[in-house]
Amino acid sequence: MILRRAIAGAAMLALVTTPALARRPDRAPGVGTANPSALIAAEIAFARMAREKGQWTAFRETAAEDAVMFVPQPVRAQTWLSGRKDPPASVQWQPTQVWMSCDGTLGVTKGAWQQPDGSVGYFTTIWQKRWKKTDYRWVLDQGDSLAQPLPDSDMLSASVADCPAGGGPRGDMQRPEPAKGAPGMTGEGRSDDGTLTWRYSVAADQSRSLVVSLMKNGTMTEVMRSDVAAPKAP
């Protein structure tokens, strides 16, 4: 079912809220080059790799050097994943929502996951386009379990930020070097053109929040919020 839904979802992307953008070929970042279908393709490839090569192998091979995940405390994904043995069966997941910056340098996907033991939940993944390359790497991955699965749907929704009045990315802008060491209890990021931002915060009890904002009608508007409760004591 996961493969059927993923393929159907990719086909339906041409019918979502930004059809013209969804059909544009992937190219160098700039005004109007957002391509939500590229993130769906990245998610489909990510999920397929997890099934075929192993869950943690897929996470490791698609993560940015400074990617963050929560276990439940924030950790550098590449450090935590290094040498970690893949489980016998991978979690499965399907993206259902996409948000993307005007310039296509940053995007967010959200959807449902299912564990082999029958447990279900949702995920949120933040993807960043690599400079000088055309692919995406995830820079943050998080989610939570749910008592009931998300509503079943073969439809995907996509929302692209309004383009900034001043044009594309600043010519003097340089992406910072990958962060070293353990991540902090707060973290944030933005697209190169500033039209999509994200920020997470983790409390002392390991509860956390993730907020994603998108430029709409001249204002940065919160479009996604994920609040995850503190883990239960063993």
Side-chain angles (χ1 to χ4, degrees), residues 11 33-34 144 151 154 174 188 196 206-207:
T33 59
D144 198 11
D154 285 337
Q174 293 187 0
E188 60 186 7
L196 188 153
Q206 302 301 330
S207 62

Side-chain angles (χ1 to χ4, degrees), residues 72-73 81 95 106 113 127 131 184-185 202 228:
Q73 72 277 12
L81 293 166
L106 195 69
W113 58 254
W127 298 86
W131 281 21
M185 300 299 275
V202 181
V228 178

Side-chain angles (χ1 to χ4, degrees), residues 91-150:
V91 62
Q92 299 186 29
W93 66 90
Q94 308 85 34
T96 57
Q97 293 175 277
V98 183
W99 299 270
M100 189 171 251
S101 62
C102 167
D103 65 358
T105 60
L106 195 69
V108 181
T109 53
K110 184 178 179 179
W113 58 254
Q114 306 85 33
Q115 288 278 12
D117 63 5
S119 58
V120 297
Y122 73 91
F123 70 88
T124 309
T125 305
I126 298 174
W127 298 86
Q128 187 173 63
K129 196 165 194 174
R130 295 199 292 180
W131 281 21
K132 300 182 181 179
K133 296 188 179 182
T134 61
D135 63 340
Y136 287 86
R137 288 290 183 264
W138 65 266
V139 295
L140 185 141
D141 186 83
Q142 70 99 49
D144 198 11
S145 59
L146 295 170
Q148 298 293 329
L150 293 175

Side-chain angles (χ1 to χ4, degrees), residues 16-18 36 97-101 157-161 196 214 216 223:
V16 297
T17 56
T18 52
Q97 293 175 277
V98 183
W99 299 270
M100 189 171 251
S101 62
S157 67
S159 182
V160 173
L196 188 153
L214 202 66
K216 286 293 182 182
V223 293

